[in-house]
Amino acid sequence: YVREGGSGVGAKYLVEKLGVVVMPTLLIVKDKKASHQLRGFDELGGTDEFSANDLAYVLGGHGALTRRDDEERAPRFEEGSAGGV
C-alpha cells in the first residue's frame, strides 16, 4: 500500500524504480540513496517468525541503526549460520 500525499510522497516512484514486488522488502536509504534492500526473509533466518530485536540486529549490520556496545549478537545470526549478517 502506498499512500498518496503526506509522508508517502515519492514512495510510488521508489517502488516502480526499484522494482519492489509483492514480497516483504525493506529499503535502507542513506544520503538520499538506496544502500541496501532486504528482500524476503533470508537475512532474518529464512522465516517470518523473528523478533523486533532480530530485525534491529540485521538493520544495525547494514548501518540503518546504531547498535549499543552492550548489545549481544543474536545466536541465530552468528557467522556461518543461515541469514547471517
Side-chain angles (χ1 to χ4, degrees):
Y1 174 74
V2 176
R3 188 179 78 149
E4 297 296 325
S7 62
V9 172
K12 185 174 182 179
Y13 167 78
L14 285 174
V15 167
E16 292 171 358
K17 173 105 173 141
L18 298 172
V20 177
V21 293
V22 180
M23 172 187 289
T25 304
L26 289 175
L27 179 65
I28 299 171
V29 178
K30 296 179 189 176
D31 299 321
K32 299 181 182 180
K33 295 180 184 174
S35 66
H36 185 75
Q37 287 187 17
L38 286 116
R39 291 184 177 177
F41 298 115
D42 290 343
E43 291 186 57
L44 294 162
T47 177
D48 64 352
E49 294 186 17
F50 55 87
S51 70
N53 288 337
D54 292 339
L55 178 59
Y57 182 82
V58 172
L59 291 174
H62 293 291
L65 298 174
T66 302
R67 293 184 184 150
R68 296 185 317 251
D69 290 337
D70 64 341
E71 190 170 22
E72 294 182 21
R73 290 189 78 166
R76 62 195 281 177
F77 299 119
E78 289 296 325
E79 297 294 328
S81 67
V85 177

